Amino acid sequence: MPDDLTAAWPQIKLALAGTLPSRVPRSESTYNTLLSMMQQEAMVPWVLVHEEKPHAILVTTKQIDGPSGSCCLFVYTFYAFEPLPLRVIADGYLKLSNYARSIGCHAVTMETSKPEVLELIRRVSPESDVETRLVTMPLASAEETGNGW
């Protein structure tokens, strides 16, 4: 994987630059950390291929909920070079599900605010909870909030 990762890093970095979660700073330090995590296999890059052509890159990581000990495969980023046929997305979801199961996870999760991504998720996995939102709040200071809470 390290040789493949090195060769693919420019495309992966491009995908990351466009799709990092909003709470993550876009900096060389961030990209270096992400590359290191992929080299250590703490994060896994995936390429969705259709008709022998790459159509999307996604990066996943295993997340464990501390209190419950439950595990999810978190789609950290998803970047499509062009619209994907639903069949390709469904096949990719099946592969991710099988991988998640193999590492002890019970679900695939992701963060998005894009209506078109939410609609694709509804179509590929109708039982998915697409209504719950992760809210990112910048840290406040007492000056900004008056007297705090």
Side-chain angles (χ1 to χ4, degrees), residues 117-148:
V117 174
L118 294 170
E119 183 55 34
L120 282 173
I121 292 168
R122 283 184 188 101
R123 292 181 66 199
V124 171
S125 179
E127 67 281 359
S128 295
D129 172 8
V130 296
E131 301 307 319
T132 301
R133 300 286 192 260
L134 172 67
V135 178
T136 302
M137 299 170 58
L139 298 178
S141 66
E143 295 83 38
E144 293 172 323
T145 59
N147 291 325

Side-chain angles (χ1 to χ4, degrees), residues 27-90:
S27 68
E28 282 307 308
S29 175
T30 296
Y31 296 123
N32 290 337
T33 299
L34 292 168
L35 175 59
S36 175
M37 291 183 73
M38 287 179 221
Q39 290 169 330
Q40 297 167 30
E41 298 183 12
M43 296 184 95
V44 179
W46 302 78
V47 178
L48 282 162
V49 177
H50 178 61
E51 296 176 351
E52 299 182 27
K53 184 175 152 192
H55 282 260
I57 294 175
L58 59 150
V59 177
T60 61
T61 187
K62 182 177 181 177
Q63 287 192 332
I64 299 173
D65 179 70
S68 71
S70 65
C71 169
C72 292
L73 183 66
F74 181 66
V75 178
Y76 189 75
T77 62
F78 178 85
Y79 180 84
F81 300 110
E82 56 189 62
L84 293 161
L86 188 59
R87 182 77 255 150
V88 173
I89 295 169

Side-chain angles (χ1 to χ4, degrees), residues 19 23 34 51 56 90 101 107:
T19 60
R23 66 186 177 282
L34 292 168
E51 296 176 351
R101 229 178 257 107

